């Protein structure tokens, strides 16, 4: 009997040891895969379907033609970080982003991309491209997608639609990019598009009537009713008026990139520029691995707002308005390395 009991106890100890060994091995395996999943720069073992993702290809390019561009984009990232550091040191404002701040960040799950769209910086074509990337074969040519369809919110998923944990995971592991433009060219482009074209009657009604009512003396009843002939000087006065700030955030078409995409809170892996749009856009597509089958659409250079055109509009506003507008968009100038325009009168 004693021998049988001793044998049972010995077997019990062996079973516990085997169980402990198996449990330890299982924990190590889980830990290993957690590390592999969290590190976006591990070359082997972490990527879907045995391939590297865009984030890895950006920071550790295997394609020789991408190596040179990597240096340029590191310099752009450094510029943003330096400007944000200076701003943070001089500002008492501190804030934490909420999901509501992330409605401009479009997510592509298949290619692990996050794109923050900035109106008047080729965002229509970028939304078309994102619809091709996320459409799983539904679309093949971005230009076959009507421009109004590209702006339908349900056609693309944005980061604010995820849970907090899902948001954090994507911000950590997906390649995040945005495209920027010389701030005053973007501003004049928005003015021309929204206030000088007849078809934008919704903007005339929503903003034009308010601007005419506030800033035009002896306005006609037609102007007060339709708001279709807003002058750039009136638009500038509206933007720098403290009452406008009290009304709430600026409309996305003339809101700063700093407020739309939050580059001082979100680390963007790539900053593309409107001035080198096709080159930078196709660089993103090569990082994703679709550069051979998908090209970024060309844009109509004949209708774009130029520096000379912007200078002409700014010549019609006062020095004080120029200074106030520069202060409003100063962070965008600094973060994205745009110099003070030569036509600006700041003294």
């Amino acid at each position: 009997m004693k021998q049988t009991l001793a044998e049972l106890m010995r077997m019990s100890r062996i079973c516990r040891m085997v169980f402990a060994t198996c449990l330890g091995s299982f924990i190590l395996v889980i830990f290993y895969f957690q590390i592999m999943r969290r590190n976006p720069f591990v070359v082997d073992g972490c990527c879907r379907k045995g391939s590297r993702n865009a984030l890895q290809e950006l920071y550790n390019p295997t394609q020789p033609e991408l190596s040179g561009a990597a240096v340029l984009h590191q310099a752009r990232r450094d510029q943003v970080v330096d400007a944000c550091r200076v701003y943070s040191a001089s500002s008492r404002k501190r804030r934490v982003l909420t999901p509501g701040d992330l409605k401009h960040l479009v997510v592509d799950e298949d290619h692990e991309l996050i794109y923050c769209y900035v109106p008047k910086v080729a965002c229509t074509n970028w939304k078309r491209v994102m619809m091709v990337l996320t459409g799983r074969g539904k679309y093949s040519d971005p230009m076959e997608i009507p421009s109004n369809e590209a702006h339908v919110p349900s056609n693309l998923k944005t980061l604010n639609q995820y849970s907090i944990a899902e948001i954090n995971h994507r911000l950590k592991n997906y390649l995040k990019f945005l495209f920027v433009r010389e701030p005053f060219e973007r501003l004049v482009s928005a003015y021309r598009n929204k206030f000088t074209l007849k078809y934008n009657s919704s903007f005339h009604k929503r903003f034009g009537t308010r601007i005419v009512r506030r800033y035009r003396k002896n306005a006609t009843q037609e102007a007060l009713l339709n708001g279709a002939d807003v002058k750039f000087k009136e638009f500038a006065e509206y933007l720098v008026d403290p009452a406008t700030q009290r009304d709430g955030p600026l409309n996305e078409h003339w809101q700063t990139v700093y407020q739309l995409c939050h580059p001082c809170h979100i680390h963007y892996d790539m900053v593309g520029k409107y001035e080198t749009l096709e080159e930078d856009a196709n660089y993103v597509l090569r990082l994703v691995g679709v550069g051979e089958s998908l090209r970024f659409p060309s844009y109509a250079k004949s209708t774009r707002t130029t520096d000379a055109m912007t200078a002409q509009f700014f010549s019609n506003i006062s020095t004080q308005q120029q200074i106030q507008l520069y202060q409003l968009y100063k962070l965008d100038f600094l973060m994205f390395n745009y110099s003070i325009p030569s036509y600006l009168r700041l003294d």
Side-chain angles (χ1 to χ4, degrees), residues 57-58 61 64 72 81 85 87 97 123 136 163-164 189 204 215 229 249 273 276 278-279 337 339 345:
E57 195 60 44
L58 173 67
L72 168 66
V81 170
R85 186 182 297 117
Y87 173 73
L97 295 184
C123 80
R136 300 188 177 184
S163 70
I164 299 296
S189 177
H204 303 161
Y215 310 111
D229 62 340
K273 293 200 169 187
T276 51
E278 290 188 42
E279 179 182 346
N337 201 28
S339 58
R345 304 187 301 272

Side-chain angles (χ1 to χ4, degrees), residues 23 31 54 64 89 103 108 148-149 187 216 219 222 230 246 252 254-255 300 309 327 338:
L23 179 61
F31 181 69
K103 60 185 179 181
D108 172 7
N148 62 323
E149 190 174 336
L187 180 63
R216 185 177 301 180
E222 183 181 2
V230 171
R246 290 194 295 270
E252 63 178 11
W254 44 85
Q255 179 62 282
M309 198 179 295
Q327 289 302 318
Y338 287 108

Side-chain angles (χ1 to χ4, degrees), residues 141-167:
D141 181 359
M143 295 311 292
E144 290 180 353
I145 302 172
S147 59
N148 62 323
E149 190 174 336
H151 294 291
V152 174
S154 59
N155 283 336
L156 291 166
K157 193 167 185 179
T158 48
L159 196 59
N160 61 307
Q161 297 172 273
Y162 293 83
S163 70
I164 299 296
E166 291 170 332
I167 288 171

Side-chain angles (χ1 to χ4, degrees), residues 203-347:
F203 272 82
H204 303 161
K205 289 282 188 181
R206 183 180 176 189
F207 297 101
T209 53
R210 186 188 313 171
I211 291 172
V212 169
R213 186 171 62 251
R214 285 184 182 178
Y215 310 111
R216 185 177 301 180
K217 295 179 180 179
N218 304 318
T220 65
Q221 284 300 311
E222 183 181 2
L224 289 168
L225 182 63
N226 298 322
D229 62 340
V230 171
K231 306 296 186 289
F232 185 72
K233 182 177 181 180
E234 296 168 337
F235 179 53
E237 195 169 354
Y238 164 76
L239 290 174
V240 301
D241 188 344
T244 302
Q245 301 296 325
R246 290 194 295 270
D247 288 343
L250 295 176
N251 179 267
E252 63 178 11
H253 291 85
W254 44 85
Q255 179 62 282
T256 64
V257 178
Y258 171 77
Q259 292 289 355
L260 290 176
C261 296
H262 312 287
C264 288
H265 295 81
I266 297 172
H267 173 78
Y268 284 92
D269 303 290
M270 187 192 149
V271 176
K273 293 200 169 187
Y274 189 76
E275 294 77 15
T276 51
L277 174 61
E278 290 188 42
E279 179 182 346
D280 291 347
N282 288 314
Y283 174 68
V284 174
L285 298 179
R286 289 200 301 274
L287 289 172
V288 172
V290 298
E292 296 298 321
S293 58
L294 179 61
R295 301 290 293 176
F296 192 81
S298 299
Y299 62 101
K301 295 183 180 181
S302 60
T303 60
R304 65 163 288 185
T305 300
T306 63
D307 180 68
M309 198 179 295
T310 303
Q312 183 63 41
F313 277 95
F314 269 73
S315 69
N316 295 320
I317 65 175
S318 68
T319 299
Q320 182 182 5
Q321 285 179 322
Q322 291 189 11
I323 293 171
Q324 289 173 311
L325 283 175
Y326 179 73
Q327 289 302 318
L328 181 60
Y329 292 94
K330 184 176 180 179
L331 257 182
D332 283 4
F333 275 98
L334 297 177
M335 283 191 299
F336 307 119
N337 201 28
Y338 287 108
S339 58
I340 298 175
S342 59
Y343 56 78
L344 217 57
R345 304 187 301 272
L346 296 182
D347 46 14

